[in-house]
Amino acid sequence: MKTLYSQLPAIDSLLRDPAMQPLLLQSGTAFTTRQLRAMQQEARTHIQQHQTLPGWHLNWPEEAQRRAQQQQQSALRPVFNLTGTVLHTNLGRAQLSARAIEAVTACLRQPVTLEYALDDASRGHRDRAVSALLCELTGAEAACIVNNNAAAVLLMLAALAPGREVIVSRGELVEIGGAFRIPDVMRQAGCQLVEVGTTNRTHLKDYRAGISDNSGLLMKVHTSNYQIQGFTHAVAEAELVALAAQHQLPVITDLGSGSLIDMTAFHLPAEPMPQQLIAAGVDLVSFSGDKLLGGPQAGIIVGKQALIDRLQQHPLKRALRVDKMTLAALEATLQLYRQPETLREALPTLRLLTRSPHEILQQAERLMPALEHAYGADFSLNIAACSSQIGSGSLPVERLPSFAITFSPRESHGSSLDALAQRWRALSQPVIGRIQEGRLWLDLRCLEDEAALIRTLTT
């Protein structure tokens, strides 16, 4: 044992080793020293437990370099999203447009007028530029921006109905990812939930019966991540607005995904739009920035000026406000909506959602020869029709026709799909597919850089 311990090199001698110089230049003396000390302790533990030196002891510089690269690698790594889910929550949802990326970069390189009014050199409001665009696009009187739609719902409830009753249909008491539940948010905001109607059918008379002297507002929640079908009934926003007006109550709507365009114009399923609800008289409408809108994570609230003013003045607004990068990306994204004729190509989310099955099939045919050459010995590769989904709770039952390249193990080789998927996740740019029906599927709907995928999977 003592002989093994004596074979461990001293830190000083390792730092003088010429082979260690690249790591010293790249990472500095302090980092390299900490790395070597950790390796030295690991080696001592290995000797104590196994009575042998670790396998890497003959090449400390190379092992130190490998570990340094691993530690310094970003936790937010670019991946190939071949899951078939366009707005994949775990993979970052919407990809930003080139214009939005440029806007974020520009605001990081120099001071910007985040809260500075150039006309009179006074302190301005950070939501101002984005608010003007949102009002133009939705017809609302004013707008408020927070860090996500959950925050938007919390702020609306806390600012407008603290200690009061909020009336919601039982069929709209949604739960989204991460256990965000409408009843829980109600409690956090200091509101009392009043459920009306039934799971599948709620009528105007149910809302009317639920109104009391302690009612604070009426709330609609778009069931964006599930659908109730069959014997159903829901109250239209315009009817609810008319009822609320009789009792001097505001109506708010949590729209969830939110789309500023008519999706059917792009041969996609219909989704309610904020401008439709504003036109119907809804007082406040909230929706997400990083779902169907195709921008950064944000919670967007549009509606009546007087109510937006109350939101802006509430203490929670400061805690939930967004930074300059989000505002820059959101403003640039909204600018794209001013040019609907070029929106499909300029906005990655819309571009990916509207790819034709024929285009995706042709892409699969181009990729097959290289992938078969690299993997054909161990796997049977095929092109298969499949269905993509929009994701992030948007249009949950709707599917988009697509094509995938599938990998099935050849029985004689005993290759494992799990092992293949794990190997792809360990690549410099991980490739994320899905295992289903005994095959590993690479849905190509979200693949735009074919050459990069081939390089990644075949080198």
Short mmCIF file of all heavy atoms in Angstrom, two decimals, residues 92-135:
data_model
loop_
_atom_site.label_atom_id
_atom_site.label_comp_id
_atom_site.label_asym_id
_atom_site.label_seq_id
_atom_site.Cartn_x
_atom_site.Cartn_y
_atom_site.Cartn_z
N GLY A 92 -36.47 23.52 -23.95
CA GLY A 92 -36.40 24.97 -24.11
C GLY A 92 -37.53 25.63 -24.86
O GLY A 92 -37.48 26.83 -25.13
N ARG A 93 -38.55 24.85 -25.24
CA ARG A 93 -39.70 25.40 -25.97
C ARG A 93 -39.28 26.12 -27.25
O ARG A 93 -38.49 25.62 -28.02
CB ARG A 93 -40.55 26.28 -25.06
CG ARG A 93 -41.27 25.50 -23.98
CD ARG A 93 -42.23 26.37 -23.19
NE ARG A 93 -42.93 25.58 -22.18
CZ ARG A 93 -43.61 26.10 -21.17
NH1 ARG A 93 -43.67 27.41 -21.03
NH2 ARG A 93 -44.22 25.32 -20.31
N ALA A 94 -39.81 27.32 -27.48
CA ALA A 94 -39.64 27.98 -28.78
C ALA A 94 -38.19 28.39 -29.05
O ALA A 94 -37.51 28.91 -28.17
CB ALA A 94 -40.54 29.21 -28.87
N GLN A 95 -37.75 28.13 -30.28
CA GLN A 95 -36.47 28.66 -30.74
C GLN A 95 -36.67 30.11 -31.16
O GLN A 95 -37.65 30.44 -31.85
CB GLN A 95 -35.95 27.85 -31.93
CG GLN A 95 -35.68 26.40 -31.62
CD GLN A 95 -35.34 25.60 -32.86
OE1 GLN A 95 -35.65 24.43 -32.97
NE2 GLN A 95 -34.70 26.24 -33.83
N LEU A 96 -35.75 30.97 -30.78
CA LEU A 96 -35.89 32.38 -31.13
C LEU A 96 -35.52 32.63 -32.58
O LEU A 96 -34.68 31.94 -33.17
CB LEU A 96 -35.01 33.23 -30.22
CG LEU A 96 -35.41 33.31 -28.75
CD1 LEU A 96 -34.50 34.27 -28.00
CD2 LEU A 96 -36.87 33.71 -28.58
N SER A 97 -36.13 33.65 -33.13
CA SER A 97 -35.82 34.07 -34.50
C SER A 97 -34.45 34.75 -34.54
O SER A 97 -33.92 35.18 -33.51
CB SER A 97 -36.88 35.05 -34.99
OG SER A 97 -36.81 36.27 -34.25
N ALA A 98 -33.90 34.84 -35.73
CA ALA A 98 -32.62 35.52 -35.90
C ALA A 98 -32.71 36.97 -35.43
O ALA A 98 -31.78 37.50 -34.82
CB ALA A 98 -32.20 35.46 -37.36
N ARG A 99 -33.84 37.59 -35.69
CA ARG A 99 -34.02 39.00 -35.29
C ARG A 99 -34.02 39.13 -33.77
O ARG A 99 -33.45 40.08 -33.22
CB ARG A 99 -35.33 39.52 -35.88
CG ARG A 99 -35.55 41.01 -35.68
CD ARG A 99 -36.66 41.49 -36.58
NE ARG A 99 -36.97 42.90 -36.39
CZ ARG A 99 -37.84 43.57 -37.14
NH1 ARG A 99 -38.47 42.96 -38.11
NH2 ARG A 99 -38.08 44.85 -36.90
N ALA A 100 -34.65 38.18 -33.08
CA ALA A 100 -34.69 38.22 -31.62
C ALA A 100 -33.31 37.98 -31.03
O ALA A 100 -32.90 38.62 -30.06
CB ALA A 100 -35.68 37.18 -31.10
N ILE A 101 -32.57 37.04 -31.61
CA ILE A 101 -31.21 36.75 -31.14
C ILE A 101 -30.32 37.98 -31.30
O ILE A 101 -29.54 38.33 -30.41
CB ILE A 101 -30.62 35.55 -31.89
CG1 ILE A 101 -31.42 34.29 -31.53
CG2 ILE A 101 -29.14 35.36 -31.57
CD1 ILE A 101 -31.12 33.10 -32.41
N GLU A 102 -30.43 38.65 -32.43
CA GLU A 102 -29.65 39.87 -32.66
C GLU A 102 -30.01 40.95 -31.65
O GLU A 102 -29.14 41.67 -31.15
CB GLU A 102 -29.89 40.37 -34.09
CG GLU A 102 -29.30 39.46 -35.16
CD GLU A 102 -29.81 39.82 -36.55
OE1 GLU A 102 -30.58 40.81 -36.66
OE2 GLU A 102 -29.46 39.10 -37.52
N ALA A 103 -31.29 41.06 -31.34
CA ALA A 103 -31.74 42.08 -30.39
C ALA A 103 -31.18 41.81 -29.00
O ALA A 103 -30.76 42.74 -28.30
CB ALA A 103 -33.27 42.13 -30.36
N VAL A 104 -31.19 40.56 -28.58
CA VAL A 104 -30.64 40.22 -27.27
C VAL A 104 -29.15 40.51 -27.22
O VAL A 104 -28.64 41.09 -26.25
CB VAL A 104 -30.91 38.73 -26.95
CG1 VAL A 104 -30.17 38.31 -25.68
CG2 VAL A 104 -32.41 38.48 -26.79
N THR A 105 -28.44 40.11 -28.27
CA THR A 105 -27.00 40.36 -28.32
C THR A 105 -26.69 41.85 -28.23
O THR A 105 -25.79 42.28 -27.49
CB THR A 105 -26.40 39.78 -29.61
OG1 THR A 105 -26.70 38.37 -29.67
CG2 THR A 105 -24.90 39.98 -29.65
N ALA A 106 -27.45 42.65 -28.96
CA ALA A 106 -27.21 44.10 -28.97
C ALA A 106 -27.43 44.71 -27.59
O ALA A 106 -26.66 45.57 -27.14
CB ALA A 106 -28.13 44.77 -29.99
N CYS A 107 -28.46 44.27 -26.88
CA CYS A 107 -28.75 44.87 -25.57
C CYS A 107 -27.75 44.43 -24.51
O CYS A 107 -27.66 45.06 -23.45
CB CYS A 107 -30.18 44.56 -25.14
SG CYS A 107 -30.40 42.98 -24.30
N LEU A 108 -27.01 43.36 -24.77
CA LEU A 108 -26.00 42.91 -23.82
C LEU A 108 -24.67 43.62 -24.00
O LEU A 108 -23.86 43.68 -23.08
CB LEU A 108 -25.78 41.40 -23.96
CG LEU A 108 -26.95 40.51 -23.53
CD1 LEU A 108 -26.62 39.05 -23.84
CD2 LEU A 108 -27.23 40.67 -22.05
N ARG A 109 -24.43 44.16 -25.18
CA ARG A 109 -23.12 44.73 -25.50
C ARG A 109 -22.97 46.18 -25.04
O ARG A 109 -21.86 46.71 -24.99
CB ARG A 109 -22.86 44.65 -27.00
CG ARG A 109 -22.68 43.22 -27.51
CD ARG A 109 -22.29 43.21 -28.97
NE ARG A 109 -22.15 41.85 -29.49
CZ ARG A 109 -21.08 41.07 -29.32
NH1 ARG A 109 -20.05 41.53 -28.63
NH2 ARG A 109 -21.05 39.85 -29.81
N GLN A 110 -24.09 46.85 -24.73
CA GLN A 110 -23.99 48.27 -24.41
C GLN A 110 -25.19 48.69 -23.56
O GLN A 110 -26.18 47.96 -23.48
CB GLN A 110 -23.96 49.09 -25.71
CG GLN A 110 -25.14 48.79 -26.62
CD GLN A 110 -24.85 49.07 -28.07
OE1 GLN A 110 -23.83 49.63 -28.41
NE2 GLN A 110 -25.77 48.70 -28.94
N PRO A 111 -25.11 49.85 -22.91
CA PRO A 111 -26.27 50.32 -22.15
C PRO A 111 -27.47 50.54 -23.06
O PRO A 111 -27.32 50.91 -24.24
CB PRO A 111 -25.79 51.64 -21.55
CG PRO A 111 -24.29 51.55 -21.57
CD PRO A 111 -23.94 50.73 -22.77
N VAL A 112 -28.67 50.30 -22.54
CA VAL A 112 -29.89 50.48 -23.33
C VAL A 112 -30.91 51.26 -22.50
O VAL A 112 -30.80 51.38 -21.28
CB VAL A 112 -30.49 49.11 -23.74
CG1 VAL A 112 -29.57 48.39 -24.70
CG2 VAL A 112 -30.77 48.24 -22.52
N THR A 113 -31.91 51.76 -23.17
CA THR A 113 -32.94 52.58 -22.50
C THR A 113 -34.00 51.67 -21.87
O THR A 113 -35.18 51.71 -22.22
CB THR A 113 -33.60 53.52 -23.51
OG1 THR A 113 -34.07 52.73 -24.63
CG2 THR A 113 -32.62 54.56 -24.00
N LEU A 114 -33.58 50.85 -20.92
CA LEU A 114 -34.50 49.92 -20.27
C LEU A 114 -35.58 50.66 -19.49
O LEU A 114 -36.77 50.40 -19.65
CB LEU A 114 -33.73 48.97 -19.34
CG LEU A 114 -34.57 47.98 -18.54
CD1 LEU A 114 -35.30 47.02 -19.46
CD2 LEU A 114 -33.70 47.22 -17.55
N GLU A 115 -35.15 51.61 -18.66
CA GLU A 115 -36.10 52.41 -17.88
C GLU A 115 -35.72 53.88 -17.98
O GLU A 115 -35.69 54.60 -16.97
CB GLU A 115 -36.13 51.93 -16.42
CG GLU A 115 -36.69 50.54 -16.24
CD GLU A 115 -36.80 50.14 -14.78
OE1 GLU A 115 -36.39 50.94 -13.91
OE2 GLU A 115 -37.29 49.03 -14.50
N TYR A 116 -35.42 54.32 -19.17
CA TYR A 116 -34.98 55.70 -19.38
C TYR A 116 -35.77 56.30 -20.53
O TYR A 116 -35.79 55.76 -21.65
CB TYR A 116 -33.49 55.73 -19.70
CG TYR A 116 -32.90 57.12 -19.79
CD1 TYR A 116 -32.43 57.77 -18.66
CD2 TYR A 116 -32.81 57.78 -21.02
CE1 TYR A 116 -31.88 59.05 -18.76
CE2 TYR A 116 -32.27 59.05 -21.12
CZ TYR A 116 -31.81 59.68 -19.99
OH TYR A 116 -31.27 60.94 -20.07
N ALA A 117 -36.47 57.40 -20.27
CA ALA A 117 -37.25 58.09 -21.29
C ALA A 117 -36.39 59.17 -21.95
O ALA A 117 -35.95 60.11 -21.29
CB ALA A 117 -38.49 58.71 -20.68
N LEU A 118 -36.14 59.03 -23.24
CA LEU A 118 -35.25 59.95 -23.94
C LEU A 118 -35.87 61.34 -24.13
O LEU A 118 -35.14 62.33 -24.25
CB LEU A 118 -34.89 59.36 -25.30
CG LEU A 118 -33.97 58.13 -25.28
CD1 LEU A 118 -33.87 57.52 -26.66
CD2 LEU A 118 -32.60 58.51 -24.75
N ASP A 119 -37.20 61.43 -24.14
CA ASP A 119 -37.81 62.73 -24.42
C ASP A 119 -37.59 63.74 -23.29
O ASP A 119 -37.34 64.92 -23.54
CB ASP A 119 -39.32 62.57 -24.71
CG ASP A 119 -40.03 61.78 -23.61
OD1 ASP A 119 -39.36 61.30 -22.70
OD2 ASP A 119 -41.27 61.67 -23.70
N ASP A 120 -37.64 63.30 -22.04
CA ASP A 120 -37.45 64.24 -20.94
C ASP A 120 -36.42 63.78 -19.92
O ASP A 120 -36.32 64.35 -18.82
CB ASP A 120 -38.79 64.50 -20.24
CG ASP A 120 -39.39 63.24 -19.64
OD1 ASP A 120 -38.78 62.15 -19.81
OD2 ASP A 120 -40.47 63.32 -19.03
N ALA A 121 -35.64 62.73 -20.25
CA ALA A 121 -34.56 62.22 -19.39
C ALA A 121 -35.08 61.72 -18.04
O ALA A 121 -34.33 61.68 -17.06
CB ALA A 121 -33.49 63.28 -19.17
N SER A 122 -36.35 61.34 -17.99
CA SER A 122 -36.91 60.84 -16.74
C SER A 122 -36.87 59.31 -16.72
O SER A 122 -36.49 58.67 -17.70
CB SER A 122 -38.36 61.31 -16.59
OG SER A 122 -39.15 60.75 -17.64
N ARG A 123 -37.25 58.75 -15.59
CA ARG A 123 -37.32 57.30 -15.51
C ARG A 123 -38.56 56.82 -16.26
O ARG A 123 -39.67 57.25 -15.97
CB ARG A 123 -37.38 56.85 -14.05
CG ARG A 123 -37.48 55.33 -13.91
CD ARG A 123 -37.27 54.88 -12.48
NE ARG A 123 -37.32 53.43 -12.38
CZ ARG A 123 -36.99 52.74 -11.30
NH1 ARG A 123 -36.60 53.39 -10.20
NH2 ARG A 123 -37.05 51.43 -11.27
N GLY A 124 -38.34 55.91 -17.20
CA GLY A 124 -39.45 55.37 -17.97
C GLY A 124 -39.88 54.02 -17.40
O GLY A 124 -39.36 53.55 -16.41
N HIS A 125 -40.85 53.39 -18.07
CA HIS A 125 -41.34 52.08 -17.65
C HIS A 125 -40.77 51.01 -18.58
O HIS A 125 -40.79 51.16 -19.79
CB HIS A 125 -42.87 52.03 -17.68
CG HIS A 125 -43.42 50.90 -16.89
ND1 HIS A 125 -43.35 49.58 -17.32
CD2 HIS A 125 -44.03 50.87 -15.68
CE1 HIS A 125 -43.90 48.80 -16.40
NE2 HIS A 125 -44.32 49.55 -15.40
N ARG A 126 -40.26 49.94 -17.99
CA ARG A 126 -39.57 48.94 -18.80
C ARG A 126 -40.49 48.18 -19.75
O ARG A 126 -40.02 47.58 -20.71
CB ARG A 126 -38.80 47.97 -17.92
CG ARG A 126 -39.63 47.08 -17.03
CD ARG A 126 -38.75 46.05 -16.35
NE ARG A 126 -37.64 46.65 -15.64
CZ ARG A 126 -36.54 46.00 -15.26
NH1 ARG A 126 -36.41 44.71 -15.55
NH2 ARG A 126 -35.57 46.60 -14.60
N ASP A 127 -41.80 48.18 -19.51
CA ASP A 127 -42.71 47.46 -20.41
C ASP A 127 -43.15 48.30 -21.60
O ASP A 127 -43.87 47.80 -22.47
CB ASP A 127 -43.97 47.03 -19.64
CG ASP A 127 -43.70 45.94 -18.62
OD1 ASP A 127 -42.56 45.44 -18.57
OD2 ASP A 127 -44.63 45.60 -17.86
N ARG A 128 -42.72 49.56 -21.67
CA ARG A 128 -43.37 50.51 -22.57
C ARG A 128 -43.31 50.11 -24.05
O ARG A 128 -44.33 50.15 -24.75
CB ARG A 128 -42.80 51.92 -22.38
CG ARG A 128 -41.35 52.09 -22.85
CD ARG A 128 -40.73 53.40 -22.39
NE ARG A 128 -39.42 53.58 -22.97
CZ ARG A 128 -38.33 52.92 -22.58
NH1 ARG A 128 -38.42 52.03 -21.61
NH2 ARG A 128 -37.17 53.14 -23.16
N ALA A 129 -42.13 49.75 -24.55
CA ALA A 129 -41.99 49.46 -25.98
C ALA A 129 -42.79 48.22 -26.37
O ALA A 129 -43.48 48.20 -27.40
CB ALA A 129 -40.52 49.27 -26.33
N VAL A 130 -42.71 47.20 -25.54
CA VAL A 130 -43.44 45.97 -25.83
C VAL A 130 -44.94 46.20 -25.67
O VAL A 130 -45.74 45.65 -26.43
CB VAL A 130 -42.95 44.84 -24.90
CG1 VAL A 130 -43.76 43.58 -25.11
CG2 VAL A 130 -41.47 44.55 -25.16
N SER A 131 -45.32 47.03 -24.71
CA SER A 131 -46.75 47.31 -24.50
C SER A 131 -47.37 47.94 -25.74
O SER A 131 -48.49 47.57 -26.14
CB SER A 131 -46.94 48.24 -23.30
OG SER A 131 -46.53 47.61 -22.11
N ALA A 132 -46.67 48.88 -26.33
CA ALA A 132 -47.22 49.54 -27.52
C ALA A 132 -47.44 48.54 -28.65
O ALA A 132 -48.46 48.58 -29.35
CB ALA A 132 -46.27 50.64 -27.96
N LEU A 133 -46.50 47.64 -28.84
CA LEU A 133 -46.64 46.63 -29.88
C LEU A 133 -47.80 45.70 -29.59
O LEU A 133 -48.59 45.35 -30.48
CB LEU A 133 -45.35 45.82 -29.99
CG LEU A 133 -44.26 46.36 -30.92
CD1 LEU A 133 -42.97 45.57 -30.72
CD2 LEU A 133 -44.71 46.26 -32.36
N LEU A 134 -47.91 45.27 -28.35
CA LEU A 134 -49.00 44.36 -27.99
C LEU A 134 -50.36 45.01 -28.17
O LEU A 134 -51.32 44.37 -28.62
CB LEU A 134 -48.82 43.88 -26.54
CG LEU A 134 -47.73 42.83 -26.33
CD1 LEU A 134 -47.38 42.69 -24.86
CD2 LEU A 134 -48.16 41.48 -26.91
N CYS A 135 -50.47 46.27 -27.82
CA CYS A 135 -51.74 46.98 -28.02
C CYS A 135 -52.07 47.08 -29.51
O CYS A 135 -53.23 46.92 -29.91
CB CYS A 135 -51.67 48.36 -27.38
SG CYS A 135 -51.59 48.32 -25.58
#
